[in-house]
Amino acid sequence: MEIGKLTEWNPWWENKALVKELAGKPRQSYALLEKSIAIKEITIITGVRRSGKSTIMYQMIQNLLQQRIEPKQILFVNFEDKKLAQDSLDNVYASYRENMNPDKKAYVFLDEIHKKEGWESWVRKQYDLKADCKFVISGSCSHLLKKEYSTLLTGRNLTFELFPLSFKEYLGFSGIEPEEASVKKGIVLPATKAKILSSLKSYLVQGGFPEAFFKEEQFKMKLLEQYFDDIIYKDIIDRFGLNSKRVMDFALFLATNFTGTFSLRNVRNALKLSYDAAKDYISHFSEAFLFFPIDHFSYSFKEQKTLPSKVYCIDNGLRNAVSFKFSEDIGKLAENIVCIELKRRAKEVYYWKNKGEVDFIVKEKDRTLEAINVCYGEDINERETKALKEYKAEFKEKVKSLIVITKDIEKEEEGIKFIPLWKWLLIP
């Protein structure tokens, strides 16, 4: 293999200052991920396409260079590069060792690793042979990463899921960084709060994809539409050899009906898909981190799986770019943001419905439950609190807290906490 194929991906070999152009703005939420460069275990980064996986890798490389690691000890390869399609992992690694770094420790960053069949066996072999090498690998498809490494790389890796920007990160990118203690105590200055609320309006509509944040308004939605198409075609249609119209129709159906309940039977009837095809498509969307269903909460597994699920999208901007109904859907957009944030916080999330409906049931590690309704309007509808009380009456002492996430109402009444969305998003 010609070393020139790798040179263009590793500009620091020539001038280490060039990495600064690639590293972007740091994301403090992933400080632990960046620190994982110091341990021998394989670092695996998953997440939706364009969420910033490559940028995080470049930031890790920048940190290594600042620690005086020699530039030629660092190898970065993006396997979406068609020039590398015919080159095996053995060839790539051998060429690097022969030409750039024959005997020193190597820091090897393999981006979009799932493009190389058998990658997990190759990485495990290098690890088990105790190669003087630290591997950081990434991929956009959860199935490809989790299915293989769950058996082959058990005990040899640390996995991190990367999301689009949280609201806290979004504010940081905007230069707004209120102290967490001040937010908790409710002593945010009026001018700062005004900036926070203005940013929240934008975040509700545009979402949190890092690169889109820096684009001019006229290009943001166009770019997000392209992201949506890339995920659909590259991570689903091309990968599984599926009918493009059927997949896109299903994706647009879910984007339009996000936050709502759906059953495979209803989807089958609406889109003329077979039951098995509809089930597979849902799985593919989830594996590509685009849409994710949440189940009805029940201690009966049968009931949990037979009742309809609710579906959410990984990013509001991505959904809005293909739906163009966000002015009518502000309540749904707020609910979707809450669901994404709960996923980002690694919570086990369900919904619940009886006479009333609770948007989110969070099952904590200690088995206690938290019930959350989202009511993003000027007034609180009585049905939101009534449903929470109904849930509390059924599950009693297992329920540790009842919450209504509001537009700007903050109080505690009849055992229910009312918290403004902006504040809930900023307090972990």
Side-chain angles (χ1 to χ4, degrees):
M1 175 189 169
E2 297 177 4
I3 192 65
K5 292 182 181 180
L6 300 179
T7 302
E8 59 186 299
W9 285 109
N10 296 270
W12 45 88
W13 290 350
E14 178 183 334
N15 181 354
K16 64 181 183 180
L18 294 176
V19 73
K20 186 176 181 180
E21 298 176 13
L22 302 168
K25 188 174 177 63
R27 297 176 65 179
Q28 296 303 317
S29 300
Y30 298 98
L32 185 62
L33 189 166
E34 294 191 20
K35 290 178 182 178
S36 71
I37 195 70
I39 62 175
K40 68 176 183 176
E41 282 76 14
I42 301 154
T43 297
I44 298 178
I45 309 172
T46 69
V48 67
R49 184 179 290 270
R50 309 305 301 176
S51 58
K53 298 184 296 298
S54 301
T55 301
I56 286 283
M57 292 171 118
Y58 286 130
Q59 290 170 1
M60 296 170 82
I61 290 169
Q62 185 178 43
N63 290 339
L64 288 171
L65 293 172
Q66 290 172 348
Q67 294 167 24
R68 302 188 181 280
I69 299 297
E70 292 183 20
K72 292 181 180 180
Q73 287 181 254
I74 303 168
L75 170 67
F76 178 93
V77 187
N78 186 320
F79 286 110
E80 287 206 320
D81 186 347
K82 293 182 180 179
K83 294 179 183 177
L84 302 173
Q86 303 305 315
D87 296 303
S88 68
L89 282 163
D90 272 327
N91 290 339
V92 170
Y93 186 66
S95 179
Y96 164 69
R97 280 299 195 183
E98 290 168 10
N99 291 280
M100 305 303 296
N101 179 16
D103 55 9
K104 293 184 178 180
K105 180 174 182 177
Y107 296 86
V108 179
F109 296 80
L110 305 175
D111 201 10
E112 301 298 346
I113 186 67
H114 58 272
K115 294 291 183 179
K116 289 297 179 184
E117 188 174 350
W119 67 267
E120 64 286 349
S121 297
W122 186 87
V123 172
R124 172 175 172 163
K125 179 181 177 182
Q126 299 299 320
Y127 184 92
D128 288 350
L129 290 175
K130 302 190 185 302
D132 194 11
C133 205
K134 165 67 182 185
F135 287 101
V136 181
I137 63 180
S138 83
S140 300
C141 301
S142 64
H143 177 74
L144 279 178
L145 288 170
K146 292 180 180 178
K147 180 181 177 182
E148 273 75 23
Y149 78 67
S150 63
T151 53
L152 281 166
L153 300 182
T154 299
R156 298 170 176 84
N157 71 89
L158 286 180
T159 301
F160 299 85
E161 184 175 347
L162 202 67
F163 287 80
L165 300 176
S166 67
F167 183 54
K168 186 174 183 178
E169 290 175 320
Y170 188 90
L171 288 178
F173 273 40
S174 304
I176 305 167
E177 298 180 336
E179 292 184 1
E180 187 175 309
S182 298
V183 173
K184 285 183 178 179
K185 294 176 182 177
I187 54 174
V188 176
L189 293 173
T192 302
K193 183 179 176 182
K195 292 178 182 178
I196 291 172
L197 294 178
S198 176
S199 295
L200 182 58
K201 288 181 181 179
S202 299
Y203 186 67
L204 279 165
V205 173
Q206 297 170 357
F209 276 94
E211 195 169 333
F213 175 89
F214 294 103
K215 289 289 186 286
E216 295 179 21
E217 292 297 322
Q218 58 184 323
F219 297 118
K220 285 182 188 288
M221 285 299 164
K222 188 67 177 175
L223 181 63
L224 290 168
E225 186 178 356
Q226 185 62 57
Y227 286 0
F228 190 90
D229 287 347
D230 285 348
I231 294 167
I232 294 296
Y233 282 95
K234 293 182 180 180
D235 293 337
I236 299 173
I237 293 172
D238 291 348
R239 178 181 158 203
F240 295 103
L242 300 176
N243 180 287
S244 59
K245 185 177 187 307
R246 287 184 177 180
V247 174
M248 185 60 77
D249 285 348
F250 197 176
L252 294 177
F253 174 86
L254 294 178
T256 302
N257 296 283
F258 80 138
T259 77
T261 56
F262 75 97
S263 68
L264 292 177
R265 179 180 297 176
N266 292 339
V267 169
R268 181 184 62 187
N269 293 336
L271 300 175
K272 309 303 179 186
L273 291 172
S274 69
Y275 179 89
D276 288 340
K279 185 177 180 181
D280 287 344
Y281 285 9
I282 288 290
S283 177
H284 299 334
F285 290 137
S286 182
E287 288 163 15
F289 301 97
L290 179 56
F291 296 105
F292 44 92
I294 65 171
D295 293 330
H296 184 273
F297 178 82
S298 174
Y299 287 114
S300 164
F301 183 78
K302 181 179 179 180
E303 181 179 316
Q304 180 179 309
K305 291 301 181 182
T306 54
L307 289 172
S309 299
K310 293 179 74 174
V311 67
Y312 293 86
C313 183
I314 189 63
D315 182 79
N316 277 9
L318 205 62
R319 179 265 175 187
N320 289 336
V322 296
S323 180
F324 296 108
K325 293 176 65 177
F326 45 82
S327 61
E328 305 168 21
D329 296 335
I330 195 69
K332 293 181 179 180
L333 293 173
E335 183 180 336
N336 197 64
I337 279 182
V338 171
C339 191
I340 297 166
E341 184 62 27
L342 289 170
K343 296 280 285 185
R344 184 183 284 108
R345 295 175 186 180
K347 299 295 186 180
E348 186 177 345
V349 185
Y350 304 86
Y351 82 98
W352 181 80
K353 187 172 184 178
N354 196 346
K355 293 179 181 177
E357 181 173 333
V358 178
D359 294 327
F360 304 110
I361 304 299
V362 180
K363 185 192 289 186
E364 300 288 2
K365 291 180 180 179
D366 62 2
R367 312 297 290 177
T368 59
L369 304 169
E370 182 175 71
I372 301 172
N373 263 341
V374 181
C375 185
Y376 201 74
E378 300 301 329
D379 300 306
I380 304 299
N381 194 305
E382 185 182 358
R383 70 170 180 268
E384 307 291 351
T385 56
K386 193 174 181 179
L388 292 174
K389 292 174 184 177
E390 182 188 359
Y391 182 78
K392 173 72 172 178
E394 181 166 339
F395 293 94
K396 300 179 174 61
E397 69 277 356
K398 293 177 182 177
V399 182
K400 72 169 186 179
S401 61
L402 305 174
I403 294 174
V404 176
I405 296 177
T406 70
K407 187 173 183 179
D408 205 27
I409 295 172
E410 185 168 11
K411 62 180 180 178
E412 185 164 350
E413 190 173 275
E414 298 183 272
I416 301 173
K417 294 180 181 178
F418 297 78
I419 307 173
L421 177 61
W422 67 269
K423 190 170 186 177
W424 183 85
L425 290 169
L426 294 180
I427 301 175

